[in-house]
Amino acid sequence: MALAAVATLAIGLAAACGDGGTADTATGTGQGGFTVPRLAAHRSLGAGEGRVNLVAWAGYAEDGSNDKTADWVHPFEKATGCKVATKVAGTSDEMVTLMRTGEYDAVSASGDASLRLIASGTVAPVNTSLVPNYADVFPGLKLKPWNSVNGVPYGIPHGRGANLLMWRSDKVRPAPDSWGAVFDANSPYKGRITAYDSPIYIADAALYLMSARPDLGIRNPYALDRRQFDAAVALLKTQRGLVGEYWSDYTKEVQAFKSGDSVLGTTWQVIANLAKAEKAPVKVTLPREGSTGWSDTWMVAAKAEHPNCAYRWLNWIVSPKANAQVAEWFGEAPANAKACRLTSDKRFCATFHATDETYFSKVHFWTTPIAQCLDGRTDVRCVDYSRWTQAWTTIKG
């Protein structure tokens, strides 16, 4: 099992979702008034170039080398003649840097990296008619603010997941149902609380403040004006005294909960599953305030050297069988609705809420904060992600 952490910097683009599908060209301005580079989507699928170079999260392009039962790369190579070369990235920032070298054809970008790639002209719109399996992708994943601009799709959704609250059921009582459990300055679990190690975690504090401090008027945890941002940072600085360890490596969080060094904090469903498999008495919940989460998108480089193989990969990785395999391996809800019939664990999609749009309506998916407020406000400026990264350094001390 392999996962990856996410960190990022700022961009100057606001993306808009809308109705529509395939478009050959995206241009003009996004929802927030930012210029979108004029780039054409691939028009037709030609012969494969024999190779495709990918930037991906660990676990997204498995070839059997980590586990012989996890291999959806070699079947792709056999079926298409496109040899896969994968560069595993550890952070969203690394993904953006790698894609800007021009050496890679496609990337599995999270929402906090995808907008930067669009704004810089590093990736092009996608022609969804060249990806037949796109038709079976859950509607709740299509044409979202992190993977489209003005109704033009910039990628093919891969999967999604929520950031959950996990606790040791033998140590933490009563069972928590609110993020307030990790932000309580008087917590009896001081030193054994854990939090996600990334500037994007500021959004988790903002999410909690949406209900805990309604006077702040936060409507979107990624759209924070100066007053709202300062309140979230202040909350996280208080929490710093409670945190025993910030995590980005999922294996370390599993071990921390297994040993009891951590008893309460943010997690992913797959981490909880692994901890339980190692006999750690843990439970998880989607707190009453909702949560943040991720939705990853396969995007094609604007100057891809192997565009035909890249499009074949996009179609393959969201095909029912391959999408079921990668979802189970990584630990997330698949993007293809038909994948749920092909998972080895027949309860997998229920566990990961794959078909539960009500559940995911409570999840605020990672989106890059920009100066143009993403909640539609025009009378104030919001704090962009470059300042989020600076603040995160001061929060951790």
Side-chain angles (χ1 to χ4, degrees):
M1 182 66 63
L3 293 173
V6 180
T8 188
L9 297 174
I11 63 165
L13 174 73
C17 60
D19 296 328
T22 300
D24 289 332
T25 304
T27 186
T29 58
Q31 177 176 314
F34 293 92
T35 301
V36 180
R38 184 179 180 86
L39 295 169
H42 203 52
R43 291 185 176 275
S44 61
L45 195 63
E49 301 88 357
R51 181 182 179 88
V52 63
N53 299 326
L54 307 176
V55 175
W57 293 124
Y60 273 16
E62 290 296 307
D63 61 4
S65 58
N66 290 312
D67 183 330
K68 63 181 181 180
T69 66
D71 183 0
W72 43 92
V73 166
H74 287 119
F76 167 78
E77 293 177 334
K78 184 177 180 179
T80 66
C82 300
K83 184 175 179 57
V84 176
T86 304
K87 173 66 176 178
V88 173
T91 67
S92 286
D93 193 45
E94 184 181 359
M95 281 189 169
V96 172
T97 299
L98 289 168
M99 287 302 293
R100 286 177 176 171
T101 67
E103 298 175 9
Y104 299 93
D105 303 300
V107 58
S108 62
S110 292
D112 55 347
S114 56
L115 299 186
R116 284 189 289 160
L117 294 169
I118 294 171
S120 63
T122 304
V123 297
V126 294
N127 185 342
T128 58
S129 68
L130 303 182
V131 186
N133 286 309
Y134 181 75
D136 298 318
V137 170
F138 287 109
L141 288 170
K142 295 180 177 179
L143 297 173
K144 295 301 178 180
W146 55 88
N147 61 27
S148 69
V149 176
N150 295 335
V152 177
Y154 270 80
I156 304 300
H158 171 100
R160 55 183 168 176
N163 296 316
L164 303 172
L165 177 61
M166 182 164 72
W167 70 95
R168 285 266 308 219
S169 57
D170 61 335
K171 303 290 185 183
V172 178
R173 295 188 180 93
D177 65 354
S178 166
W179 288 115
V182 300
F183 292 121
D184 180 4
N186 299 312
S187 173
Y189 311 109
K190 180 179 180 179
R192 293 191 292 169
I193 290 175
T194 186
Y196 188 47
D197 190 2
S198 169
I200 202 68
Y201 185 65
I202 294 173
D204 290 61
L207 176 74
Y208 171 66
L209 291 173
M210 286 172 69
S211 58
R213 288 278 311 278
D215 60 294
L216 291 169
I218 299 174
R219 294 183 290 176
N220 180 328
Y222 307 102
L224 306 177
D225 60 36
R226 173 54 66 181
R227 177 169 174 260
Q228 295 166 340
F229 181 77
D230 288 347
V233 170
L235 180 61
L236 290 169
K237 286 183 175 179
T238 297
Q239 187 199 41
R240 179 67 186 93
L242 307 174
V243 173
E245 182 179 24
Y246 290 96
W247 69 273
S248 58
D249 183 333
Y250 80 101
T251 60
K252 290 183 178 179
E253 191 183 27
V254 169
Q255 292 306 311
F257 272 85
K258 182 179 179 181
S259 68
D261 289 340
S262 294
V263 300
L264 181 67
T266 307
T267 197
W268 298 330
Q269 182 67 56
V270 65
I271 297 174
N273 293 349
L274 291 171
K276 290 177 181 178
E278 296 199 17
K279 310 302 182 184
V282 299
K283 292 186 178 181
V284 296
T285 189
L286 181 73
R288 60 175 183 259
E289 298 92 354
S291 76
T292 58
W294 74 90
S295 175
D296 294 339
T297 303
W298 282 99
M299 312 181 90
V300 178
K303 298 180 180 179
E305 185 178 353
H306 313 103
N308 295 304
C309 279
Y311 267 85
R312 286 177 168 83
W313 172 259
L314 265 59
N315 191 53
W316 177 272
I317 200 62
V318 294
S319 63
K321 183 178 180 180
N323 203 226
Q325 289 176 303
V326 69
E328 282 197 280
W329 176 255
F330 188 86
E332 64 184 350
N336 191 312
K338 293 181 178 179
C340 289
R341 291 180 285 181
L342 300 176
T343 55
S344 59
D345 175 3
K346 297 310 176 185
R347 289 194 51 78
F348 179 83
C349 281
T351 299
F352 285 83
H353 304 275
T355 64
D356 191 348
E357 294 300 337
T358 298
Y359 177 90
F360 281 113
S361 71
K362 302 173 184 176
V363 179
H364 297 257
F365 292 107
W366 285 332
T367 307
T368 306
I370 57 175
Q372 178 65 52
C373 296
L374 296 172
D375 59 7
R377 286 179 292 169
T378 58
D379 57 334
V380 296
R381 303 292 284 176
C382 280
V383 179
D384 67 36
Y385 214 8
S386 63
R387 296 186 184 180
W388 284 47
T389 59
Q390 295 168 8
W392 187 244
T393 301
T394 65
I395 289 165
K396 291 181 63 179

